[in-house]
Amino acid sequence: LKLGVWDKFGEEKMNSTDAFHYIPIDHKGWARGVSYTKEEISVLEQADARTDVNEVEKKELDSDWSSTDDHFRHQDFDAAVTFHDFTLVNFFAEWCIHCRKFSPTWMEASDKVSDKMSFTNGQGLEVKVKFLKMNCVDFGEHCKQAQIAAFPTLRLYKRDGSFEVFTQKRTIDNIISFLTTTIRNSHLIVAQHHAIFNEGCQVMGTLRVPRVPGHFHLQAEA
């Protein structure tokens, strides 16, 4: 449930995030817990926006950032690494001899694990991991912003944008072990509250409206 407050002409959305409290309730209308925090609501809204994509947009988000010469636009790296619950990113440089040696292992691990192997997260839910390559020669500015200082660098991104760095010897077994342990210790806000939203949500709050001619309306989106 999202609540939007718009002006009389429906053109300007008022910032109402802080004005309302969202309280989970069960099917009988009884409160099930404390209000969602602003951070939780923000993650949920981002997840809803990023998962509401068409097939062309999905292919764009799922594509490797291997080259600027492919037919993908590669405009939003943050969206790409937060599109799935978990995304393992291989930051590499073509001139790096360690990256070249690791490449066959990465390809084999990707074929075996990416969008195929299931892992259990902190809520006991089954999730999958998307493998993604990032060419830090062609996309140097993105790697600079991500503060990549060595190649290859492996990071496991969560949907909320946080990540864990892989620091073990780069073997398939170690990668799978790293994914298993990290995901098992991970608690996704989105996973928690999507289950709660299957029950219900009570919205409480106040609005301060300027005393001028006109009107406003509330828009609820489920």
Side-chain angles (χ1 to χ4, degrees):
L1 175 68
K2 291 185 291 185
L3 185 63
V5 183
W6 301 80
D7 68 1
K8 126 179 224 192
F9 303 105
E11 297 176 351
E12 182 179 354
K13 186 175 182 180
M14 300 170 60
N15 185 5
S16 57
T17 303
D18 296 333
F20 299 99
H21 300 284
Y22 298 80
I23 303 172
I25 58 176
D26 61 20
H27 64 283
K28 293 183 179 180
W30 295 98
R32 295 187 57 188
V34 298
S35 302
Y36 303 122
T37 66
K38 288 193 299 182
E39 291 76 15
E40 290 172 328
I41 293 173
S42 175
V43 171
L44 286 167
E45 289 179 342
Q46 291 174 20
D48 287 340
R50 288 169 178 166
T51 54
D52 186 19
V53 298
N54 58 39
E55 192 61 32
V56 173
E57 292 169 331
K58 183 179 184 302
K59 289 181 179 179
E60 172 76 29
L61 291 168
D62 279 342
S63 64
D64 281 328
W65 290 52
S66 297
S67 172
T68 55
D69 295 329
D70 59 25
H71 62 282
F72 295 108
R73 292 176 296 173
H74 300 304
Q75 293 179 335
D76 193 340
F77 180 67
D78 289 336
V81 298
T82 57
F83 180 60
H84 297 274
D85 286 338
F86 294 94
T87 303
L88 184 65
V89 182
N90 174 12
F91 296 90
F92 73 98
E94 294 175 335
W95 49 260
C96 169
I97 187 171
H98 301 293
C99 298
R100 295 176 183 174
K101 289 182 177 179
F102 175 58
S103 182
T105 302
W106 170 264
M107 295 300 296
E108 185 177 348
S110 179
D111 291 341
K112 182 177 182 179
V113 179
S114 182
D115 282 333
K116 298 181 180 71
M117 185 176 293
S118 294
F119 300 88
T120 303
N121 68 12
Q123 283 83 31
L125 302 175
E126 296 295 314
V127 297
K128 290 183 171 61
V129 179
K130 174 66 180 177
F131 278 39
L132 194 70
K133 291 176 64 178
M134 165 59 97
N135 186 336
C136 287
V137 174
D138 283 15
F139 301 100
E141 188 59 33
H142 289 85
C143 293
K144 181 179 178 181
Q145 291 176 2
Q147 299 182 332
I148 302 301
F151 305 111
T153 291
L154 301 184
R155 286 181 179 178
L156 179 65
Y157 283 86
K158 295 197 298 184
R159 193 185 286 277
D160 62 7
S162 62
F163 62 84
E164 297 288 340
V165 180
F166 177 84
T167 58
Q168 305 168 37
K169 185 176 180 180
R170 292 183 288 270
T171 66
I172 295 178
D173 287 343
N174 283 347
I175 290 173
I176 293 176
S177 176
F178 165 74
L179 295 176
T180 301
T181 302
T182 306
I183 293 174
R184 184 175 60 238
N185 295 329
S186 175
H187 292 75
L188 292 177
I189 291 175
V190 174
Q192 285 182 325
H193 295 306
H194 274 183
I196 293 176
F197 282 149
N198 288 334
E199 296 291 346
C201 181
Q202 182 183 57
V203 182
M204 300 178 62
T206 59
L207 276 178
R208 294 185 180 274
V209 182
R211 296 183 64 180
V212 295
H215 66 275
F216 70 92
H217 68 272
L218 303 178
Q219 176 179 314
E221 177 183 344

